[in-house]
Amino acid sequence: MRRLPALLSTALLLVTGALAGAGGARAEVPAGAAPTRRDAVLVRDIEIPVPGQPAVRAYLVRPAHPGRPDRLAGVLALHWFEPGRADQDRTEFLAEATALAGRGVVSVLPQLTFPWAADPVGDARDRAAVSAQLDAVGQAWRRLLAEPGVDPPRTAVVGHDYGAMYAADLAAREPGVRTAVLLAPDATWANWFDLYWLRLPAGERATYRAVFAGLDPVDVVGRLGAGAYLQFAAEDRFVGPTTRVAFAAAAPDARVSLYPGEEHDLGGTRVRDDRVAWLADRLALAG
């Protein structure tokens, strides 16, 4: 694992119904046209202020002309970390958000930065970095709630990999988060930081894990109860049976799906369809 280069800026985007039907692949979105009544979905490149930090770059995706502008659902989508993959940034859920917009959903897709743009160092500074990223995620959540027409009880957070871990922590911090889909999270922050960056001596690992007390996803996911949906891949080389068992014990009321043949990217059509169907039920989506 390594650092991700900074993303380039993009302009205001308008998406037609063709892209709204796209699946889980990375979306290539045309830019430049002025809004018209024919445009189904509006995608904006926004910046979200975060006190004491640089502003967060994010996509805001919403129906251009919703039938019920005062009754929109909302989704905060948090991407995964996989160097070398073009979709390991805020574009990961862009096609899905575009499709959901056709069903009356506003989505915010922020760019995450830790550990994408900075490496763990092996001490309390890593907890501070996770907490700072969580503060930024919280601001993105509040930006979603502030979007005109969004109905706060009909909102959810979706996250993959590190994005899922931040989603679990957000749900623990924000009582208004009642619905979360977590794709292939790890149980603790220390595990991947150590395994892929630090390579700590065996005698130091317990001390390092203690740095994250109160922040580990497996320790906070239970707050969601039946509002959590965990999606795991049977062929995942990063998230194995031990982690899945830990989450099952921590969140006994959560829905859990294990997909044979799927790897850590969980890019299969069935995975996406199950997630969208569950969100449609939880958020009372149209269509």
Side-chain angles (χ1 to χ4, degrees), residues 272-285:
R272 184 192 68 237
D273 289 350
D274 286 352
R275 177 169 63 250
V276 170
W278 191 78
L279 286 171
D281 181 64
R282 290 281 303 183
L283 305 183
L285 301 185

Side-chain angles (χ1 to χ4, degrees), residues 81-108:
F81 179 88
E82 182 59 28
R85 285 285 298 255
D87 62 350
Q88 65 130 16
D89 57 23
R90 60 183 173 144
T91 65
E92 181 186 1
F93 292 105
L94 183 56
E96 188 166 311
T98 303
L100 286 171
R103 303 179 68 176
V105 178
V106 176
S107 296
V108 172

Side-chain angles (χ1 to χ4, degrees), residues 32-215:
T36 73
R37 298 297 297 183
R38 295 171 302 179
D39 295 304
V41 178
L42 179 67
V43 182
R44 290 178 55 207
D45 189 6
I46 65 173
E47 291 192 346
I48 301 170
V50 182
Q53 300 185 42
V56 174
R57 294 284 303 283
Y59 288 125
L60 172 66
V61 183
R62 61 173 295 138
H65 310 292
R68 288 289 306 273
D70 60 335
R71 285 279 297 163
L72 299 172
V75 170
L76 177 69
L78 307 176
H79 60 83
W80 70 327
F81 179 88
E82 182 59 28
R85 285 285 298 255
D87 62 350
Q88 65 130 16
D89 57 23
R90 60 183 173 144
T91 65
E92 181 186 1
F93 292 105
L94 183 56
E96 188 166 311
T98 303
L100 286 171
R103 303 179 68 176
V105 178
V106 176
S107 296
V108 172
L109 293 73
Q111 178 63 42
L112 307 180
T113 58
F114 186 75
W116 288 260
D119 294 340
V121 295
D123 58 31
R125 289 173 290 176
D126 294 340
R127 181 189 177 97
V130 169
S131 296
Q133 180 66 90
L134 187 56
D135 288 343
V137 167
Q139 288 298 104
W141 171 253
R142 286 181 279 278
R143 177 63 178 82
L144 174 67
L145 297 181
E147 186 65 13
V150 169
D151 184 15
R154 297 174 57 233
T155 52
V157 57
V158 176
H160 183 191
D161 179 87
Y162 278 118
M165 297 165 72
Y166 282 114
D169 278 2
L170 178 71
R173 176 184 284 194
E174 297 284 347
V177 179
R178 303 172 186 174
T179 298
V181 186
L182 310 177
L183 289 71
D186 200 2
T188 70
W189 292 103
N191 182 47
W192 283 341
F193 290 166
D194 181 23
L195 188 60
Y196 297 108
W197 279 279
L198 303 172
R199 309 296 178 110
L200 294 171
E204 297 179 15
R205 291 171 189 164
T207 299
Y208 183 59
R209 176 170 177 172
V211 164
F212 300 97
L215 279 179

